[in-house]
Amino acid sequence: MKIFWVLLALSFCSLVFSQKTMQGQVIDYDTSIPIAFANITYNNKAITSNWEGKFSIEIQENSKPILFTYKGYYDKSYYQTVGVNFFLIKMVSNNSLKEQEIFSENQVNSILKKVIESKPKNQPEKALTTFEYKNYEHLLVSANPDSISKKIDTVIKKSFFGRKKIKLDSTNFKFKRFSEKQHLYQTEKVNLIQFNRHGTKETVLASRMAGFKKPLYEYLGLNLMTYSLYENKLDILGVSIHNPISNYGRKLYVFKIIDTVTIQGRTAYRIYFQPKKLDSNRLRGLLYVDAESNALCKAFFRIYGIANINALYTFNYLKENAIWFPEKRKIILVKGNNTEDLNILGSTIKFNSGLDGISTDASDQCYLKLESTPFDIKINREVLFKNSAIKISVPENSMSKPDSYWTNFQKDSLDVRKIPTYVSLDSLSEAGKIEHKIFLGRKIFNGYYPVNCIDVDLKSIIKYNNFEGFRLGLGGVTNNKLSEKYKISGYLAYGFKDDKLKYNVSPSYLLNKETSTWVSTSYTNDLKEIGQIEFATENKRFKIYDSRPINISTFYNYKTFSAFLESKFLAKTDTYFGISRSEINPLFDYKFLAKDNEYINFNTSTVQFAIQWNPFSEYMQTSTGRLEINKKHPKIAFQFTKALANILGSDFDFTKIDFRIIHEIPYLSGQTTSLTLQGGLALGDVPLTHLYSIAPNNLNRDSMLKRITFAGKNSFETMYFNEFFSSKYITFQAKHTFNKVKLAYKIKPLISVVSRIAIGTIDNPNQHIGLEYKTLEKGFLESGVEANSIYKGFGLTFFFRYGPNGLPKFEDNLALKISYLLDLGF
């Protein structure tokens, strides 16, 4: 009997030890992206991986293979390896199927169609008359100390003479000690979201940022996460993605029903989606769809790339309103598989690539977590707010809430690192003068350097052109230290070649701080390029150099007195209205015939109105003015100028109408298409100085090498200076910019292809005597390639001129230019 029990025990042990549970994950061989719901067959039993590609399987016999199959991939057989408890299955995509599309099943297509058709009754912005809620948002950058090795590495380097140098790298150890005490960074915000028939408005109720006495307005304006999952495009940490439940999203993704689940007592379909073309998109996810109302009740999104982003959206079902309303949003970002620096939110957060010899272990353990939680929800009650065109309002009192205010939002009482993070980073900020550096950076970005109560104008210090030679100057504007209501701007400059002084003085008074309405007067004695196209509302950013004027020699002197009003009173616009009287003296051989008289010098009195309208941009109202926080296109500029004869000694009567439309199309791949349509119409007695030369930027010299200069931003690179003039013109420019091409370490040019066309005509050409020029009735065409930022911001551009105005000698149609793009990191 004892022998029987011994044999039974041995048999049982043999059975137990011959069967073991194995863990694994299925991923794509090329991208390391998990393959969700892959089919796994072993010993005539079938299972599937989960949406992260992970699975668990009972192994009984090592001699039998495990078979992995998935549409679009080659089948994979795996034999269990002795001693391995976790195995990674890398499946290779079938190249013959790579470009083929995978289609959804009819059942899930029917469900998705109902989801789209049911948007009007499920999307809160469409189904509800009004709603409002408060929202607590917490952004955290941290690391798990337990995941960081505390070892001190030994690094061996060779000296100049070939001797070995032993160096200790304690990066991981120090980082572990630091992260045990505090987080790397954090910021909090409480805002009020309101919706009525006029739109959606956000009001910041409170905000604080570690390291800053006052939060940055730029951060408060960032669209870190989409609030509604029913929009056609979703934004997650600055990454735009096509919504899977939009009409266009259904063309990009394939959907698969996994099972049904119960959420808050209601049945929901669990649907997985992935790209139709396996290598075309890095977005995957799970959608939970209410089987009765066809509304979203939960959603997971995962974006794979140089950063891996996980986003979770949950909803709460409100029975009295029969709607799923947002409950919580959570996003986690970690560094993906890459060998490049990763910058998030405009370099606010940076993961190091490690290519500079720095240990990357610590950096790779960092993560960013963003949580957004609505509360105090009120539905279908009266909601009133002012100026719906302003997306975000930031009252001054929201920037300085006491610590006691934030204790109401203490989500995690166990988070002992939260308060030390604020204390530590505040002291670091003060020690490093971070706020002052940001303040200084903003000023420099706009072309000024603050010195006490005056902002020195960096644009006026040094310039060069063929007429003045080197031009040295000094200019500036008074700042808030002197007065918030008044300011005086001006400059004084001297040209060494023409031996003349130029100057300007412009006193201004602030009429309305909220709308940035200023009234100003100005007197200027200076030079201007002939035929120049200027918009009064154009924002003049700082440039280290201004390439076009370097090679210009045809200027006119103008002495102008003007009075003007600038305002942002109208939503999403910059407006300008001014009157001026000018004395014009052409500084080249020129006569203008008008009213049976010859004019060498002449006077003009003009009235000008200009407006810049950005209809789709989003704006923030702060105590210091109105900021454009989300620059969207198209951007439309219009300008009307009227010269009146016999007013204040004016010689001519003419009218000018100018317009410009700029549109940019960003793609999810990171590429961009830019389109610019610009035109002008001049009627009446218009001297050549005030006609249109359409921004030429080429020298009339014998060889291409002699014509090498700096490229302009939107200028015609193969058109010679003063080659064409028009009284009516229209231009169209198309530019497509690809992603950076990595040629070598730190050599990553930004490649663009560009085409430009211009057509125009001139009225009364016999009025202009002295300067030879051509007209553009037959049109002007050029195309080229730009390789910008090849090294240290410098690049090369190459353009070719063709069409009716192409030149007889082939080499004369070619233009090679140097480009420079300055990245200040803002």
Side-chain angles (χ1 to χ4, degrees):
M1 191 68 179
K2 289 183 180 179
I3 296 175
F4 169 77
W5 288 111
V6 170
L7 292 174
L8 182 63
L10 289 173
S11 299
F12 178 76
C13 291
S14 176
L15 180 64
V16 169
F17 286 104
S18 65
Q19 178 176 315
K20 51 187 175 181
T21 301
M22 303 298 301
Q23 309 289 334
Q25 186 179 27
V26 187
I27 65 173
D28 183 280
Y29 182 87
D30 297 312
T31 65
S32 296
I33 293 175
I35 299 176
F37 306 107
N39 299 310
I40 305 169
T41 305
Y42 172 75
N43 200 18
N44 296 321
K45 292 183 180 179
I47 61 171
T48 60
S49 62
N50 65 13
W51 92 288
E52 293 179 315
K54 296 180 180 179
F55 62 91
S56 176
I57 192 169
E58 298 289 337
I59 302 295
Q60 296 175 350
E61 296 181 38
N62 292 340
S63 60
K64 290 188 176 182
I66 308 171
L67 180 64
F68 298 86
T69 60
Y70 196 79
K71 190 171 183 179
Y73 288 85
Y74 290 107
D75 295 349
K76 174 87 171 182
S77 294
Y78 180 83
Y79 288 87
Q80 169 60 22
T81 304
V82 176
V84 176
N85 295 321
F86 183 89
F87 48 97
L88 198 62
I89 304 300
K90 298 182 178 181
M91 296 188 70
V92 179
S93 58
N94 188 339
N95 290 328
S96 63
L97 300 175
K98 217 170 188 181
E99 296 302 323
Q100 296 182 19
E101 292 186 352
I102 304 171
F103 295 95
S104 307
E105 299 170 356
N106 289 333
Q107 182 185 3
V108 74
N109 263 330
S110 176
I111 296 173
L112 265 295
K113 186 179 179 183
K114 290 178 183 178
V115 171
I116 295 171
E117 292 173 348
S118 302
K119 278 185 182 182
K121 68 176 185 179
N122 291 324
Q123 184 175 0
E125 290 82 359
K126 293 181 179 179
L128 303 175
T129 305
T130 65
F131 65 78
E132 74 172 31
Y133 62 89
K134 295 176 183 176
N135 186 69
Y136 172 70
E137 189 173 287
H138 182 221
L139 185 145
L140 176 71
V141 182
S142 189
N144 182 4
D146 296 335
S147 65
I148 304 170
S149 171
K150 62 182 180 181
K151 68 178 181 180
I152 298 178
D153 294 327
T154 302
V155 180
I156 301 176
K157 292 186 176 181
K158 287 187 177 181
S159 66
F160 180 78
F161 298 101
R163 296 177 181 174
K164 290 184 178 180
K165 290 169 56 179
I166 298 177
K167 211 176 169 187
L168 298 179
D169 183 1
S170 59
T171 304
N172 290 339
F173 176 77
K174 292 178 181 178
F175 186 69
K176 182 179 180 69
R177 293 289 300 272
F178 177 87
S179 60
E180 287 174 340
K181 297 177 182 178
Q182 67 180 73
H183 300 298
L184 276 71
Y185 192 78
Q186 66 181 359
T187 178
E188 296 171 277
K189 179 174 74 171
V190 179
N191 51 358
L192 174 66
I193 307 297
Q194 297 173 290
F195 171 80
N196 62 20
R197 62 185 179 86
H198 297 294
T200 304
K201 179 72 175 283
E202 175 184 346
T203 303
V204 177
L205 302 178
S207 59
R208 66 173 175 174
M209 296 181 69
F212 296 91
K213 294 178 181 178
K214 282 189 175 184
L216 300 177
Y217 288 124
E218 288 82 354
Y219 166 75
L220 297 177
L222 287 173
N223 186 18
L224 298 178
M225 63 170 65
T226 296
Y227 283 175
S228 174
L229 289 189
Y230 290 94
E231 302 295 336
N232 287 330
K233 281 192 176 182
L234 308 177
D235 289 308
I236 300 177
L237 287 180
V239 179
S240 292
I241 57 176
H242 284 293
N243 193 339
I245 62 169
S246 66
N247 285 322
Y248 193 74
R250 289 179 64 204
K251 298 177 182 178
L252 296 176
Y253 303 102
V254 59
F255 299 85
K256 179 180 181 181
I257 296 180
I258 305 304
D259 53 23
T260 57
V261 295
T262 301
I263 300 179
Q264 296 185 24
R266 297 174 67 86
T267 301
Y269 300 110
R270 190 164 67 118
I271 299 173
Y272 174 72
F273 69 89
Q274 70 176 39
K276 282 188 176 182
K277 295 183 178 180
L278 296 175
D279 60 345
S280 64
N281 193 291
R282 299 191 174 209
L283 173 69
R284 272 92 171 148
L286 285 172
L287 303 175
Y288 293 75
V289 176
D290 188 311
E292 183 181 341
S293 66
N294 300 305
L296 290 179
C297 46
K298 194 175 182 181
F300 288 94
F301 297 104
R302 180 163 289 174
I303 303 171
Y304 296 95
I306 61 170
N308 292 336
I309 302 174
N310 295 325
L312 167 64
Y313 286 77
T314 58
F315 299 82
N316 182 35
Y317 187 70
L318 306 179
K319 292 183 180 179
E320 61 274 20
N321 303 106
I323 194 170
W324 289 90
F325 200 81
E327 181 184 47
K328 190 170 185 178
R329 312 170 186 97
K330 183 177 180 180
I331 297 175
I332 297 178
L333 177 147
V334 295
K335 184 179 179 182
N337 295 323
N338 68 94
T339 56
E340 297 182 0
D341 287 353
L342 172 59
N343 299 303
I344 304 296
L345 308 180
S347 297
T348 304
I349 298 141
K350 180 174 181 178
F351 295 95
N352 207 299
S353 69
L355 292 179
D356 295 318
I358 302 172
S359 171
T360 61
D361 291 348
S363 173
D364 286 347
Q365 302 304 323
C366 297
Y367 64 87
L368 178 149
K369 182 168 70 173
L370 175 65
E371 291 186 81
S372 174
T373 307
F375 63 98
D376 288 353
I377 300 169
K378 299 174 183 178
I379 292 176
N380 289 340
R381 300 183 187 180
E382 186 179 20
V383 172
L384 300 174
F385 52 80
K386 295 181 180 179
N387 202 348
S388 60
I390 303 301
K391 186 73 172 176
I392 304 175
S393 292
V394 186
E396 182 67 23
N397 62 5
S398 69
M399 312 285 278
S400 54
K401 295 291 184 183
D403 290 341
S404 58
Y405 176 89
W406 298 100
T407 57
N408 299 323
F409 306 100
Q410 189 77 24
K411 315 188 306 312
D412 186 0
S413 59
L414 299 177
D415 188 359
V416 297
R417 297 187 288 171
K418 183 175 182 178
I419 298 302
T421 302
Y422 280 114
V423 175
S424 175
L425 288 176
D426 283 344
S427 61
L428 286 173
S429 173
E430 186 174 348
K433 299 182 179 180
I434 294 175
E435 285 186 282
H436 176 71
K437 290 176 181 178
I438 291 176
F439 166 78
L440 187 63
R442 287 172 176 159
K443 292 283 187 179
I444 294 175
F445 185 58
N446 287 286
Y448 294 94
Y449 186 88
V451 179
N452 201 358
C453 62
I454 296 177
D455 293 344
V456 177
D457 187 356
L458 300 175
K459 301 185 294 294
S460 66
I461 294 176
I462 184 167
K463 295 181 180 179
Y464 178 87
N465 59 67
N466 282 337
F467 186 85
E468 294 178 284
F470 280 102
R471 167 177 167 145
L472 299 181
L474 184 64
V477 58
T478 59
N479 55 40
N480 291 345
K481 286 187 178 180
L482 183 65
S483 172
E484 291 187 355
K485 282 284 186 180
Y486 302 92
K487 67 179 179 181
I488 300 175
S489 63
Y491 62 83
L492 180 67
Y494 175 75
F496 283 88
K497 190 174 180 180
D498 67 338
D499 193 25
K500 296 287 184 182
L501 281 173
K502 294 88 182 176
Y503 52 89
N504 163 271
V505 59
S506 300
S508 303
Y509 176 73
L510 180 63
L511 293 179
N512 188 292
K513 186 177 182 180
E514 185 175 305
T515 60
S516 300
T517 302
W518 291 86
V519 61
S520 309
T521 59
S522 176
Y523 181 78
T524 307
N525 183 347
D526 206 340
L527 305 181
K528 190 176 288 187
E529 173 193 352
I530 68 170
Q532 192 172 8
I533 303 168
E534 291 184 315
F535 287 85
T537 54
E538 188 168 12
N539 194 2
K540 297 176 175 62
R541 294 294 190 188
F542 172 52
K543 300 177 182 178
I544 284 183
Y545 72 97
D546 192 1
S547 60
R548 291 192 63 260
I550 291 176
N551 301 296
I552 297 172
S553 56
T554 48
F555 291 86
Y556 65 90
N557 172 251
Y558 67 102
K559 298 176 182 178
T560 299
F561 175 81
S562 62
F564 52 93
L565 180 77
E566 297 171 292
S567 179
K568 297 181 180 179
F569 175 76
L570 297 174
K572 302 189 177 186
T573 64
D574 291 332
T575 56
Y576 171 95
F577 178 78
I579 57 175
S580 64
R581 199 265 184 186
S582 302
E583 297 177 9
I584 308 297
N585 178 24
L587 301 176
F588 57 98
D589 183 18
Y590 176 69
K591 292 180 182 179
F592 181 56
L593 302 180
K595 301 178 181 178
D596 299 324
N597 293 319
E598 288 188 0
Y599 293 89
I600 298 177
N601 304 319
F602 43 85
N603 303 324
T604 62
S605 297
T606 59
V607 178
Q608 187 175 72
F609 170 76
I611 184 169
Q612 171 76 42
W613 182 38
N614 307 323
F616 300 106
S617 290
E618 295 177 353
Y619 287 81
M620 173 192 290
Q621 184 66 57
T622 72
S623 59
T624 59
R626 195 168 295 170
L627 302 175
E628 187 180 4
I629 54 173
N630 191 0
K631 298 180 180 181
K632 294 185 178 180
H633 294 81
K635 293 180 176 290
I636 302 168
F638 174 82
Q639 186 165 277
F640 176 83
T641 307
K642 178 65 178 178
L644 303 169
N646 303 317
I647 301 294
L648 298 177
S650 176
D651 293 314
F652 313 126
D653 187 292
F654 63 82
T655 302
K656 292 182 69 176
I657 300 173
D658 301 284
F659 77 91
R660 180 177 62 198
I661 302 173
I662 299 174
H663 187 52
E664 287 189 2
I665 306 171
Y667 301 99
L668 296 179
S669 62
Q671 302 179 38
T672 305
T673 297
S674 303
L675 307 171
T676 303
L677 180 67
Q678 182 171 308
L681 172 67
L683 303 171
D685 293 325
V686 191
L688 195 68
T689 52
H690 290 61
L691 290 179
Y692 306 108
S693 65
I694 319 182
N697 192 32
N698 200 19
L699 298 172
N700 193 353
R701 293 179 181 170
D702 297 335
S703 67
M704 184 178 67
L705 295 179
K706 292 180 180 179
R707 295 193 297 268
I708 293 178
T709 58
F710 280 98
K713 184 178 180 181
N714 291 310
S715 53
F716 284 79
E717 302 299 337
T718 61
M719 184 185 292
Y720 296 136
F721 291 106
N722 302 329
E723 185 178 3
F724 299 95
F725 282 92
S726 303
S727 57
K728 304 181 185 71
Y729 83 97
I730 190 166
T731 66
F732 178 73
Q733 302 188 34
K735 178 177 182 178
H736 184 84
T737 302
F738 299 92
N739 293 321
K740 287 186 176 181
V741 179
K742 187 174 181 179
L743 300 180
Y745 176 46
K746 291 190 176 181
I747 299 180
K748 305 167 192 173
L750 198 62
I751 306 296
S752 302
V753 291
V754 187
S755 283
R756 301 185 176 107
I757 182 173
I759 188 168
T761 186
I762 191 167
D763 296 331
N764 305 316
N766 295 329
Q767 286 185 297
H768 312 286
I769 300 174
L771 188 68
E772 294 185 3
Y773 62 87
K774 296 186 289 186
T775 57
L776 280 170
E777 285 86 353
K778 295 181 180 180
F780 185 94
L781 297 163
E782 74 171 22
S783 295
V785 177
E786 297 179 353
N788 295 308
S789 299
I790 297 175
Y791 186 73
K792 300 290 186 181
F794 287 95
L796 292 173
T797 70
F798 178 80
F799 282 85
F800 176 67
R801 171 174 174 170
Y802 56 97
N805 274 297
L807 300 174
K809 292 177 64 177
F810 176 79
E811 59 270 24
D812 290 343
N813 293 297
L814 307 178
L816 180 66
K817 304 290 179 70
I818 300 170
S819 67
Y820 183 77
L821 294 181
L822 175 64
D823 183 5
L824 293 173
F826 299 99

